[in-house]
Amino acid sequence: QADIVANYETLLSLQKLQQNAVHAVEQIVQARDDVATIKALIGKDELAKHNDELIELDERADAITKSLTDLEKLIRVPPETKGIVFDEDKLTSRIGLAQFYVGSSRGAPSAAAATYIKIAQDASRTILAEVNTFLGGELLEFRKAVRAADIGLLSAIET
């Protein structure tokens, strides 16, 4: 009975790792969509071609988009990827492998399962810290620059 409980609790902890990875991907996708919207707004501004501040923001947006895509690739293979690609180094794959080893028996996690759990936990800790650092650092600074440039969905209307 205790082995079954240990197995179940381990699977729950791995499910929490999976949820954290999904949340990180959702944040990345949302941020990338926001950056694409900013780029579209800059592109529609006729004066942007002559405004150094907006040109710099547009270039920063490209760099931010690349960084977000690189972060997503640490967690999963992006859905638009063509073909069969190596995914064993992705966080979701590492978590899935640990879940497989734990779920392959009803008893307490084996030594092999414990190894894969540690690999998944370490990868999760490292990758999610990297995502959080980027979102709270470079992306936050970009958002501040966008606000300072007065770029928004609703343009000012003179009355």
Side-chain angles (χ1 to χ4, degrees), residues 64-92:
I64 295 279
T65 300
K66 182 184 180 325
S67 295
L68 288 167
T69 299
D70 291 346
L71 287 171
E72 180 183 14
K73 288 179 180 178
L74 293 174
I75 300 171
R76 69 173 184 173
V77 175
E80 64 276 359
T81 303
K82 303 276 189 234
I84 300 171
V85 295
F86 178 77
D87 71 347
E88 295 300 314
D89 60 338
K90 308 300 181 224
L91 177 57
T92 54

Side-chain angles (χ1 to χ4, degrees), residues 58-131:
D58 192 53
E59 291 169 356
R60 281 179 70 186
D62 290 335
I64 295 279
T65 300
K66 182 184 180 325
S67 295
L68 288 167
T69 299
D70 291 346
L71 287 171
E72 180 183 14
K73 288 179 180 178
L74 293 174
I75 300 171
R76 69 173 184 173
V77 175
E80 64 276 359
T81 303
K82 303 276 189 234
I84 300 171
V85 295
F86 178 77
D87 71 347
E88 295 300 314
D89 60 338
K90 308 300 181 224
L91 177 57
T92 54
S93 179
R94 291 175 181 179
I95 294 169
L97 194 56
Q99 288 171 325
F100 170 78
Y101 273 92
V102 173
S104 67
S105 74
R106 299 186 83 202
S110 65
T115 300
Y116 284 101
I117 291 166
K118 178 154 179 27
I119 290 170
Q121 289 170 335
D122 291 347
S124 180
R125 191 175 308 109
T126 302
I127 292 169
L128 296 181
E130 191 172 335
V131 169

